[in-house]
Amino acid sequence: MTAAGIAIHPTRLADGRELIYFDDADTTLGSERRLDTRTIDPRPETATMRLDVLTGEWVSIAAARQNRVVNPSAALDPLAPQSDDNPSEIPDLYDVAVFENRSPSFGPALAGDSTDPVDAPVAADAPEGLADLATLDYGRTRTSVGRCEVVCFSPEAEGSFGTQTPSRARTVIEAWAHRTAALSALPGVEQVFPFENRGAAIGVTLPHPHGQIYSYPYITPRTQRLLASLEQLGPDMFDRILDSERESSRVLLTGEHWTAFVPFAARWPLEVHLLPHRHVPDFAATSSAERDELAHVYLRLLRGLDAIYGDPTPYIAAWHQAPVNVARDSARLHLQLTSPRRGRDKLKYTAGSEAAMGAWIGDIRPEAAAETIRAAIPAGV
């Protein structure tokens, strides 16, 4: 039981994958859970990363992802509680459930040796640290060690984070914090990334309310650029960003612990950043009070986005966290929420300039976008 009254029940799926139930503080469920008695195929082999010498970036070639379930019928929802007619991934009723992805981009193998206290295979060709990964040469490969997890926000068949109750939102946040701490401790993991993809326009193929957590064996390209900015501007960069944005007309919401705003150089038609007021490297470092407030602030923000046009807005909610082993005192936890929606029936597509060259062109002035979003945010949740 956590300080927030959220109970945690770890178990295993039939093929050995970890499954963890997180019960709401006001749950109506009992503490016992049925076991997974399915007969299912063994887990796929861990993918292999290849180094792109043009960019210095690693690419995980995870062919097992081709076997993912795509747009199943509601009766065969793989994230619903199991029933006699639906042999889904979760064997019993739940509030929030987290489990290892069946077709992961990283893992299940981990770096390390036989003394690692982790029930996972050990990779034969794992990365040997950040210096090894930074070495540029032709034809380099490494095993895609790490872990990918699915975070189910609700047993309901449809919805998103924004459709949950404040109590349920608080449970999901607790799950993010718990899993960030656990995944950061796995051998070979260098960065942990919780996120939610929402809507068909983003490419979502399961309408069930859920997100994911990726645990990478390297520091992602986006975070490497962030670290370069911190190196140039100083470790107080996020404090200075927050001070500047809070003096602007782009602030959307502010509380005791969090402020949401449209950033000065927004790329997307709808783009919101959400920062904690004090420095915390990741969810695991947040206080109970910060998590409590976030549950309400985040729900208001997401419901405001849906209210702009009166129907669900597609988005990517990306929770950036500090790397596991570097920049812990300067890289701050923050949300970057982006949507391609630039009108009721219009989407922004990343084509030639953005997709090929990384040269962005904004379609809407950030100040105008902030005014639109702010007007749609409900008064309270």
Side-chain angles (χ1 to χ4, degrees):
M1 188 79 68
T2 70
I6 296 166
I8 301 172
H9 308 285
T11 184
R12 293 277 174 179
L13 295 174
D15 58 0
R17 285 176 293 146
E18 190 170 18
L19 164 66
I20 306 170
Y21 295 104
F22 293 82
D23 295 350
D24 296 341
D26 56 357
T27 189
T28 60
L29 300 176
S31 59
E32 297 299 318
R33 296 293 192 277
R34 289 194 299 267
L35 295 178
D36 184 15
T37 59
R38 296 174 297 170
T39 300
I40 53 180
D41 293 335
R43 304 187 66 181
E45 293 294 323
T46 301
T48 298
M49 302 190 303
R50 299 183 181 187
L51 180 64
D52 178 1
V53 295
L54 295 177
T55 63
E57 297 173 2
W58 288 91
V59 179
S60 184
I61 309 298
R65 285 168 53 82
Q66 287 286 73
N67 299 322
R68 290 175 297 171
V69 176
V70 176
N71 296 321
S73 66
L76 293 176
D77 177 359
L79 306 185
Q82 284 180 16
S83 67
D84 292 341
D85 300 320
N86 181 14
S88 76
E89 289 282 65
I90 306 174
D92 209 341
L93 295 174
Y94 65 91
D95 292 329
V96 173
V98 180
F99 64 91
E100 292 184 69
N101 197 312
R102 195 170 182 176
S103 303
S105 302
F106 300 93
L110 296 170
D113 55 39
S114 59
T115 63
D116 290 325
V118 181
D119 186 15
V122 176
D125 189 30
E128 299 175 3
L130 295 177
D132 172 44
L133 292 166
T135 301
L136 195 64
D137 203 353
Y138 301 98
R140 295 198 71 206
T141 65
R142 287 290 183 266
T143 302
S144 300
V145 298
R147 181 179 286 189
C148 295
E149 297 184 340
V150 179
V151 183
C152 298
F153 303 155
S154 165
E156 299 299 322
E158 295 186 354
S160 63
F161 190 101
T163 64
Q164 307 309 310
T165 65
S167 175
R168 178 61 50 76
R170 181 64 178 82
T171 306
V172 175
I173 292 166
E174 194 70 23
W176 286 339
H178 179 280
R179 301 314 300 151
T180 292
L183 296 172
S184 296
L186 294 180
V189 168
E190 296 289 347
Q191 189 169 7
V192 178
F193 172 50
F195 64 98
E196 179 192 4
N197 296 329
R198 195 276 187 97
I202 301 298
V204 175
T205 57
L206 286 176
H208 194 111
H210 73 287
Q212 300 179 67
I213 306 178
Y214 273 28
S215 303
Y216 299 100
Y218 53 73
I219 298 174
T220 63
R222 180 63 179 266
T223 304
Q224 289 187 40
R225 290 193 289 273
L226 170 65
L227 298 184
S229 294
L230 283 165
E231 182 69 23
Q232 182 172 344
L233 295 175
D236 63 342
M237 183 181 75
F238 278 100
D239 285 323
R240 292 159 65 187
I241 289 173
L242 190 57
D243 289 344
S244 174
E245 293 290 358
R246 293 180 75 178
E247 293 176 355
S248 77
S249 62
R250 296 181 299 278
V251 171
L252 304 175
L253 286 169
T254 191
E256 181 181 354
H257 303 290
W258 301 84
T259 291
F261 55 89
V262 175
F264 173 72
R267 291 168 167 78
W268 293 92
L270 297 175
E271 180 170 348
V272 177
H273 293 190
L274 179 60
L275 262 67
H277 294 171
R278 75 180 181 102
H279 177 78
V280 287
D282 55 28
F283 273 114
T286 56
S287 68
S288 182
E290 287 165 333
R291 298 175 194 178
D292 290 344
E293 183 179 273
L294 177 60
H296 293 271
V297 169
Y298 195 22
L299 285 178
R300 288 182 63 195
L301 177 61
L302 293 176
R303 293 175 185 180
L305 288 178
D306 283 352
I308 293 173
Y309 298 109
D311 59 358
T313 290
Y315 62 74
I316 298 173
W319 284 99
H320 295 258
Q321 304 194 104
V324 173
N325 296 308
V326 300
R328 302 288 294 173
D329 294 331
S330 56
R332 183 175 300 191
L333 167 71
H334 64 287
L335 170 72
Q336 293 188 345
L337 190 151
T338 59
S339 173
R341 196 170 192 180
R342 60 185 181 91
R344 182 173 298 278
D345 300 309
K346 297 178 180 179
L347 295 176
K348 176 183 179 67
Y349 294 98
T350 54
S353 185
E354 288 95 348
M357 300 305 292
W360 282 79
I361 295 91
D363 301 285
I364 299 173
R365 291 184 68 248
E367 290 74 18
E371 185 175 354
T372 297
I373 299 169
R374 191 166 46 243
I377 292 176
V381 173

